[in-house]
Amino acid sequence: MKEERYFYVPCASTLTELPQEEAQHAIKVLRLREGDTIFLMDGKGTFYRAEVSMVSNKHCAYDIIETIPQERPWQNHLHIVMAPTKMMERTEWMAEKATEIGIDEFSFLECQFSERRTLRSDRIDKIVVSATKQSRKAWKPVVNDMQSFRSFVEQPRKGLKFICHCYNEIERKDLFDTLNTLDSSEATEPVTVLVGPEGDFSLDEVRLAMQHGYISTSLGSQRLRTETAALSAVMIMQLSQRL
């Protein structure tokens, strides 16, 4: 039995051929031929079973045979917000693994103690696309451009908002306990969780976020590296959806 081949095609239902990068992979690597069955994902909740109708040096056309809507595996919008690490591979690793676990949106912040102040969101997005295909997720997470901490927290944002930090002088709620004791009306609200750089958020940043409705939280008693903390927050958000 042949392995099912998945391709990311954002407008799959209105197109007739794979995007250039996906077509090259289908032709050069997978060596697909006319009549082969492939699966398309639009990243918005639908899979499509299709048949390859034409293959050339640079093009791979298809005909859709079946539309397969998917059931959303979690009930609310999950958003992880992180200050990128100095070594980009650690941030990329987090984005890949968080996508595999299940997340809806990534944002990246420039903070007072940030070690990295630029980020190529297009590179992160390619990693997210690859992880979405590999884990066969029907929804592709949104990847936002990097922005300043202040501009992010001052934007109006629906739902529950948390900022994770390590300052004992500010009262903190445990993120896991908080998300798992929500009442039924809160359980379906969007969730946004902020994780700071290796040096943590500054005290002023934590207080500014709290002034804009963010809840002061902890990820537990152990100190975690930035990418580990972000991935832990994603796991906690996911577990709160399944308990």
Side-chain angles (χ1 to χ4, degrees):
M1 183 177 178
K2 287 186 177 181
E3 181 183 357
E4 295 175 344
R5 304 295 188 178
Y6 282 76
F7 298 89
Y8 175 58
V9 187
C11 300
S13 62
T14 58
L15 297 178
T16 58
E17 65 176 73
L18 297 179
Q20 183 178 3
E21 188 171 337
E22 296 282 44
Q24 289 300 300
H25 183 68
I27 298 164
K28 304 296 184 182
V29 180
L30 302 178
R31 299 186 182 279
L32 296 183
R33 296 291 181 263
E34 293 180 17
D36 285 346
T37 298
I38 58 176
F39 287 83
L40 315 176
M41 49 176 61
D42 63 5
K44 304 177 185 71
T46 303
F47 291 157
Y48 302 88
R49 187 164 65 91
E51 183 178 284
V52 176
S53 58
M54 185 276 293
V55 175
S56 68
N57 288 334
K58 295 183 179 180
H59 300 276
C60 183
Y62 62 80
D63 294 321
I64 291 177
I65 300 171
E66 182 182 8
T67 300
I68 314 170
Q70 301 296 297
E71 184 176 349
R72 193 172 180 81
W74 55 90
Q75 58 185 336
N76 51 14
H77 186 89
L78 307 180
H79 186 179
I80 187 69
V81 187
M82 170 183 158
T85 54
K86 183 177 182 179
M87 298 175 63
M88 270 308 299
E89 57 264 33
R90 287 164 51 194
T91 298
E92 292 166 359
W93 174 86
M94 185 283 298
E96 177 184 70
K97 300 310 173 187
T99 300
E100 292 174 6
I101 293 166
I103 195 74
D104 293 297
E105 188 173 0
F106 292 101
S107 289
F108 299 95
L109 301 180
E110 180 185 358
C111 304
Q112 183 175 337
F113 300 143
S114 287
E115 296 180 295
R116 173 173 288 275
R117 300 187 181 276
T118 60
L119 175 138
R120 284 187 55 188
S121 56
D122 60 331
R123 179 175 170 82
I124 298 291
D125 194 64
K126 286 185 178 181
I127 291 168
V128 166
V129 167
S130 179
T132 300
K133 293 192 294 183
Q134 183 68 29
S135 57
R136 297 183 181 179
K137 292 285 190 298
W139 281 264
K140 186 193 84 68
V142 173
V143 178
N144 297 315
D145 290 334
M146 192 171 178
Q147 59 184 301
S148 72
F149 178 89
R150 176 177 289 275
S151 67
F152 184 90
V153 299
E154 288 182 346
Q155 293 170 13
R157 199 171 304 278
K158 295 181 179 179
L160 302 167
K161 303 181 296 184
F162 302 92
I163 181 167
C164 303
H165 64 89
C166 301
Y167 293 107
N168 292 325
E169 55 264 54
I170 299 178
E171 183 179 357
R172 294 172 292 162
K173 296 182 178 181
D174 184 273
L175 181 63
F176 183 87
D177 291 343
T178 302
L179 287 177
N180 284 285
T181 54
L182 298 175
D183 60 37
S184 57
S185 63
E186 293 175 313
T188 56
E189 290 190 27
V191 180
T192 300
V193 178
L194 275 58
V195 173
E198 291 293 336
D200 208 342
F201 296 113
S202 69
L203 273 169
D204 287 343
E205 286 172 332
V206 175
R207 289 172 176 141
L208 177 64
M210 293 174 67
Q211 290 171 11
H212 287 84
Y214 285 80
I215 300 169
S216 170
T217 53
S218 166
L219 293 171
S221 59
Q222 300 184 73
R223 290 256 174 163
L224 303 173
R225 300 190 75 159
T226 296
E227 73 278 12
T228 310
L231 194 61
S232 296
V234 172
M235 280 296 303
I236 289 170
M237 285 190 277
Q238 273 291 346
L239 286 171
S240 72
Q241 297 288 294
R242 300 172 189 273
L243 294 177

